[in-house]
Amino acid sequence: QGHALGQYSLGQCLGQGKGVPQDDREATRLFGLAADQGVPDAMFNLTVHCALGKGVPQDDAKAARPYRLAAEQSHADAQTNLGTHCAMGKGVPQDDAEAARYYRLAAEQGLA
């Protein structure tokens, strides 16, 4: 039906095997649909799945885009993880100043 929060929630259930058989591929697909509709938590989970290769081939460059989108929507975990990607040059050019910026944004939200 295209309900973003429903897609995200079902993706959570499928990714964790809560109440349904675990299915990382379908969870990743649903996170992608919800992320395309602007759900920051879905963007974050899509990125985690891409970074870890859950349901899709592992791809740090593909993971960086939704991390950035979620980070720009003040998702503290995404800011921290994107900072790590910037610090390590995983999927993005290595940039310590950019890493520090994202770490600072997350810290300002209480994530340390």
Side-chain angles (χ1 to χ4, degrees):
Q1 299 270 340
H3 189 272
L5 292 179
Q7 292 165 333
Y8 167 72
S9 296
L10 181 55
Q12 284 285 86
C13 291
L14 288 164
Q16 298 173 15
K18 290 192 175 184
V20 295
Q22 185 175 10
D23 185 340
D24 285 332
R25 177 180 282 166
E26 183 63 6
T28 302
R29 185 185 78 79
L30 289 168
F31 290 147
L33 292 173
D36 288 346
Q37 295 177 71
V39 178
D41 286 335
M43 293 172 194
F44 177 76
N45 285 327
L46 174 62
T47 301
V48 169
H49 277 229
C50 291
L52 298 177
K54 293 178 73 174
V56 294
Q58 192 278 335
D59 186 337
D60 286 327
K62 187 174 182 178
R65 182 177 179 275
Y67 265 148
R68 191 171 305 279
L69 292 173
E72 289 170 1
Q73 293 189 38
S74 300
H75 193 289
D77 289 322
Q79 291 166 336
T80 298
N81 288 4
L82 183 56
T84 300
H85 278 246
C86 290
M88 298 174 69
K90 291 179 64 176
V92 296
Q94 196 280 330
D95 186 335
D96 289 335
E98 189 76 347
R101 184 174 80 82
Y102 282 111
Y103 290 145
R104 190 173 300 110
L105 288 170
E108 288 170 358
Q109 295 185 74
L111 190 64

